[in-house]
Amino acid sequence: MPLSKTHSKNGRTNKGRESRIQREKRELILGAALEVFAAHGFRGSTIDQIADAAGMSKPNLLYYFARKEDIHQSLIERLMDTWLDPLKAIDANGDPMAEICAYIKRKLEISRDFPKESRLFANEILQGAPRIISMIEGELKTLVDEKANVIQGWMDAGKLNPCDPHHLLFSIWATTQHYADFDVQVRAVLARDAQGDTHFEGAATFLENLFCKGLAPRN
Amino acid sequence: MPLSKTHSKNGRTNKGRESRIQREKRELILGAALEVFAAHGFRGSTIDQIADAAGMSKPNLLYYFARKEDIHQSLIERLMDTWLDPLKAIDANGDPMAEICAYIKRKLEISRDFPKESRLFANEILQGAPRIISMIEGELKTLVDEKANVIQGWMDAGKLNPCDPHHLLFSIWATTQHYADFDVQVRAVLARDAQGDTHFEGAATFLENLFCKGLAPRN
DNA sequence: ATAATATTTTATCAATTGGTCAAATTTTTG
DNA sequence: CAAAAATTTGACCAATTGATAAAATATTAT
């Protein structure tokens, strides 16, 4: 008996549990979909491509995710934690300079370790964020405003060179995510002989230098 | 007699000239295509969408550009000048700090005045730059290496805080283009009442501050 | 004006796309 | 082992997509 309807609609088996196969195959599909969506955006990606990349037939894939949209949604959801965690981790009680440097470092590590996730996010934003705009306007904005206040407090206390905290966060996002999103260009321009992820070290050094000098309070 | 073959293959009319109608319609199409490609990437955009946006029928559009690829190619080509000019304008004989500040300002103005072009470029890079990788590895890399040398010279002369010039350029590209490419997110996060392009002023102030302090030589 | 040329429309195509269905197969459970 | 449930497959479908052909219309040159 095909259970795809029951299964697909609530994402559960009859007994209310996910089988081992389901867990594994869903994971397989999400991995393949991440690759494809990151490279072509939502509209530019096809279910066939994802099924191919996952090594399964299209109807089989659709047994696990009833619609293309659902796969994308799943990816975005699990991406969000990865995306917001580093910002959440900024500690209002820590040393201002150290906190911001640590944040930059963490964001850069995410670009290095999860470049496809970064490109998935970038694609979504570039295309007008149709599927995550509410999260951006809600959860993200709230969190950003909160941390911007923390940073503003540090500046008011003379512990950081005063500047707009929102733009500071933008510039940290931009510079760090650039290494994942514009990876092709970065590699082409640097084009050293052996180029694994070596440029990430150079980037870390450069960014620490830039932001440390740029944010150090005037004495 | 339908001249689409002759016309489409070499982009010229029989008499070797472009008619007024051809000039105007091509322009109309490119404008519409820029909008669509910037929003959905190459694969995510359809000829129908572009034709709709240009207010003409699909076959009529295909009379001016025989293939979807050709429209995209045309856009990319005319984009390249806009993209490389500001970098070319960096003057080795100018004042280092002033030159870099001016470069940042110009790049930010381009994000403000040509956001769709920026997103078109970002989409192309994100998707692996399949259609412009040779330009990146060739013309762009050559130019970047040349200007990186100029900047290195300034650092060696003690006129700039020493750091990797390539990463410096990356960080300028990233921070300025961010305001075009991630526009939706920027607006959502800032979300002030009246928000035309006001945030570009804030961005200019912030970036000048950041890079000026970050690059000023230690005395 | 009229012939030549350029532009636009209508109709159409084959391929691709997101998605469905029922049958076949495999896995799990009793 | 057998029955039940879960998974996989192959055959389809309607809509969309990139593109073409030919007829109809408009423009330009003589």
Side-chain angles (χ1 to χ4, degrees), chain B residues 189-203:
Chain B
V189 165
L190 292 184
R192 304 219 174 116
D193 314 285
Q195 42 154 8
D197 284 348
T198 18
H199 57 274
F200 275 99
E201 291 165 35

PDB file of all heavy atoms in Angstrom, chain B residues 189-203:
ATOM      1  N   VAL B 189      16.358  44.875   7.758  1.00  0.00           N
ATOM      2  CA  VAL B 189      17.006  45.024   9.059  1.00  0.00           C
ATOM      3  C   VAL B 189      16.976  46.481   9.523  1.00  0.00           C
ATOM      4  O   VAL B 189      16.736  46.765  10.690  1.00  0.00           O
ATOM      5  CB  VAL B 189      18.454  44.495   9.019  1.00  0.00           C
ATOM      6  CG1 VAL B 189      19.236  44.969  10.231  1.00  0.00           C
ATOM      7  CG2 VAL B 189      18.451  42.973   8.955  1.00  0.00           C
ATOM      8  N   LEU B 190      17.220  47.394   8.587  1.00  0.00           N
ATOM      9  CA  LEU B 190      17.202  48.807   8.977  1.00  0.00           C
ATOM     10  C   LEU B 190      15.774  49.269   9.210  1.00  0.00           C
ATOM     11  O   LEU B 190      15.455  49.883  10.215  1.00  0.00           O
ATOM     12  CB  LEU B 190      17.887  49.669   7.912  1.00  0.00           C
ATOM     13  CG  LEU B 190      19.390  49.454   7.792  1.00  0.00           C
ATOM     14  CD1 LEU B 190      20.000  50.416   6.791  1.00  0.00           C
ATOM     15  CD2 LEU B 190      20.082  49.596   9.142  1.00  0.00           C
ATOM     16  N   ALA B 191      14.914  48.981   8.246  1.00  0.00           N
ATOM     17  CA  ALA B 191      13.476  49.225   8.398  1.00  0.00           C
ATOM     18  C   ALA B 191      13.132  50.520   9.101  1.00  0.00           C
ATOM     19  O   ALA B 191      12.370  50.545  10.055  1.00  0.00           O
ATOM     20  CB  ALA B 191      12.823  48.051   9.130  1.00  0.00           C
ATOM     21  N   ARG B 192      13.745  51.625   8.632  1.00  0.00           N
ATOM     22  CA  ARG B 192      13.306  52.911   9.177  1.00  0.00           C
ATOM     23  C   ARG B 192      12.036  53.315   8.447  1.00  0.00           C
ATOM     24  O   ARG B 192      11.660  52.727   7.423  1.00  0.00           O
ATOM     25  CB  ARG B 192      14.400  53.951   8.945  1.00  0.00           C
ATOM     26  CG  ARG B 192      15.718  53.466   9.550  1.00  0.00           C
ATOM     27  CD  ARG B 192      16.483  54.578  10.202  1.00  0.00           C
ATOM     28  NE  ARG B 192      17.652  53.977  10.862  1.00  0.00           N
ATOM     29  CZ  ARG B 192      18.902  54.233  10.523  1.00  0.00           C
ATOM     30  NH1 ARG B 192      19.156  55.111   9.573  1.00  0.00           N
ATOM     31  NH2 ARG B 192      19.902  53.666  11.141  1.00  0.00           N
ATOM     32  N   ASP B 193      11.383  54.320   8.957  1.00  0.00           N
ATOM     33  CA  ASP B 193      10.109  54.748   8.359  1.00  0.00           C
ATOM     34  C   ASP B 193      10.302  55.116   6.902  1.00  0.00           C
ATOM     35  O   ASP B 193       9.934  54.382   6.005  1.00  0.00           O
ATOM     36  CB  ASP B 193       9.549  55.948   9.141  1.00  0.00           C
ATOM     37  CG  ASP B 193       9.630  55.706  10.633  1.00  0.00           C
ATOM     38  OD1 ASP B 193       8.812  54.927  11.137  1.00  0.00           O
ATOM     39  OD2 ASP B 193      10.538  56.276  11.258  1.00  0.00           O
ATOM     40  N   ALA B 194      10.867  56.294   6.687  1.00  0.00           N
ATOM     41  CA  ALA B 194      11.141  56.700   5.313  1.00  0.00           C
ATOM     42  C   ALA B 194      12.519  56.193   4.935  1.00  0.00           C
ATOM     43  O   ALA B 194      13.521  56.619   5.488  1.00  0.00           O
ATOM     44  CB  ALA B 194      11.085  58.230   5.194  1.00  0.00           C
ATOM     45  N   GLN B 195      12.552  55.288   4.001  1.00  0.00           N
ATOM     46  CA  GLN B 195      13.837  54.690   3.640  1.00  0.00           C
ATOM     47  C   GLN B 195      13.985  54.612   2.129  1.00  0.00           C
ATOM     48  O   GLN B 195      13.725  53.593   1.526  1.00  0.00           O
ATOM     49  CB  GLN B 195      13.955  53.291   4.225  1.00  0.00           C
ATOM     50  CG  GLN B 195      12.680  52.486   4.094  1.00  0.00           C
ATOM     51  CD  GLN B 195      12.945  51.000   4.085  1.00  0.00           C
ATOM     52  OE1 GLN B 195      14.042  50.535   4.319  1.00  0.00           O
ATOM     53  NE2 GLN B 195      11.919  50.238   3.785  1.00  0.00           N
ATOM     54  N   GLY B 196      14.372  55.721   1.561  1.00  0.00           N
ATOM     55  CA  GLY B 196      14.645  55.693   0.134  1.00  0.00           C
ATOM     56  C   GLY B 196      15.978  55.006  -0.070  1.00  0.00           C
ATOM     57  O   GLY B 196      16.062  53.801   0.051  1.00  0.00           O
ATOM     58  N   ASP B 197      16.990  55.787  -0.359  1.00  0.00           N
ATOM     59  CA  ASP B 197      18.329  55.230  -0.409  1.00  0.00           C
ATOM     60  C   ASP B 197      19.152  55.850   0.709  1.00  0.00           C
ATOM     61  O   ASP B 197      20.363  55.945   0.630  1.00  0.00           O
ATOM     62  CB  ASP B 197      18.982  55.514  -1.767  1.00  0.00           C
ATOM     63  CG  ASP B 197      18.411  54.608  -2.832  1.00  0.00           C
ATOM     64  OD1 ASP B 197      17.711  53.657  -2.460  1.00  0.00           O
ATOM     65  OD2 ASP B 197      18.708  54.834  -4.013  1.00  0.00           O
ATOM     66  N   THR B 198      18.454  56.249   1.776  1.00  0.00           N
ATOM     67  CA  THR B 198      19.139  56.943   2.864  1.00  0.00           C
ATOM     68  C   THR B 198      20.297  56.150   3.422  1.00  0.00           C
ATOM     69  O   THR B 198      21.322  56.705   3.791  1.00  0.00           O
ATOM     70  CB  THR B 198      18.162  57.240   4.012  1.00  0.00           C
ATOM     71  OG1 THR B 198      17.022  56.422   3.872  1.00  0.00           O
ATOM     72  CG2 THR B 198      17.776  58.688   4.026  1.00  0.00           C
ATOM     73  N   HIS B 199      20.111  54.839   3.493  1.00  0.00           N
ATOM     74  CA  HIS B 199      21.146  54.036   4.144  1.00  0.00           C
ATOM     75  C   HIS B 199      22.480  54.087   3.402  1.00  0.00           C
ATOM     76  O   HIS B 199      23.500  53.732   3.956  1.00  0.00           O
ATOM     77  CB  HIS B 199      20.675  52.601   4.319  1.00  0.00           C
ATOM     78  CG  HIS B 199      20.268  51.939   3.048  1.00  0.00           C
ATOM     79  ND1 HIS B 199      18.997  52.052   2.519  1.00  0.00           N
ATOM     80  CD2 HIS B 199      20.950  51.157   2.198  1.00  0.00           C
ATOM     81  CE1 HIS B 199      18.937  51.363   1.406  1.00  0.00           C
ATOM     82  NE2 HIS B 199      20.088  50.810   1.178  1.00  0.00           N
ATOM     83  N   PHE B 200      22.469  54.550   2.149  1.00  0.00           N
ATOM     84  CA  PHE B 200      23.735  54.655   1.429  1.00  0.00           C
ATOM     85  C   PHE B 200      24.630  55.729   2.033  1.00  0.00           C
ATOM     86  O   PHE B 200      25.854  55.608   2.008  1.00  0.00           O
ATOM     87  CB  PHE B 200      23.491  54.926  -0.060  1.00  0.00           C
ATOM     88  CG  PHE B 200      23.244  53.671  -0.837  1.00  0.00           C
ATOM     89  CD1 PHE B 200      21.954  53.269  -1.156  1.00  0.00           C
ATOM     90  CD2 PHE B 200      24.304  52.857  -1.223  1.00  0.00           C
ATOM     91  CE1 PHE B 200      21.730  52.093  -1.863  1.00  0.00           C
ATOM     92  CE2 PHE B 200      24.087  51.684  -1.926  1.00  0.00           C
ATOM     93  CZ  PHE B 200      22.796  51.301  -2.245  1.00  0.00           C
ATOM     94  N   GLU B 201      24.007  56.770   2.575  1.00  0.00           N
ATOM     95  CA  GLU B 201      24.820  57.786   3.247  1.00  0.00           C
ATOM     96  C   GLU B 201      25.461  57.214   4.500  1.00  0.00           C
ATOM     97  O   GLU B 201      26.653  57.401   4.748  1.00  0.00           O
ATOM     98  CB  GLU B 201      23.960  58.997   3.604  1.00  0.00           C
ATOM     99  CG  GLU B 201      23.506  59.782   2.377  1.00  0.00           C
ATOM    100  CD  GLU B 201      22.379  60.753   2.713  1.00  0.00           C
ATOM    101  OE1 GLU B 201      22.387  61.307   3.818  1.00  0.00           O
ATOM    102  OE2 GLU B 201      21.479  60.923   1.851  1.00  0.00           O
ATOM    103  N   GLY B 202      24.657  56.502   5.277  1.00  0.00           N
ATOM    104  CA  GLY B 202      25.195  55.848   6.465  1.00  0.00           C
ATOM    105  C   GLY B 202      26.316  54.891   6.110  1.00  0.00           C
ATOM    106  O   GLY B 202      27.343  54.830   6.801  1.00  0.00           O
ATOM    107  N   ALA B 203      26.106  54.162   5.022  1.00  0.00           N
ATOM    108  CA  ALA B 203      27.128  53.204   4.595  1.00  0.00           C
ATOM    109  C   ALA B 203      28.411  53.916   4.210  1.00  0.00           C
ATOM    110  O   ALA B 203      29.509  53.492   4.591  1.00  0.00           O
ATOM    111  CB  ALA B 203      26.607  52.385   3.418  1.00  0.00           C
TER     112      ALA B 203
END
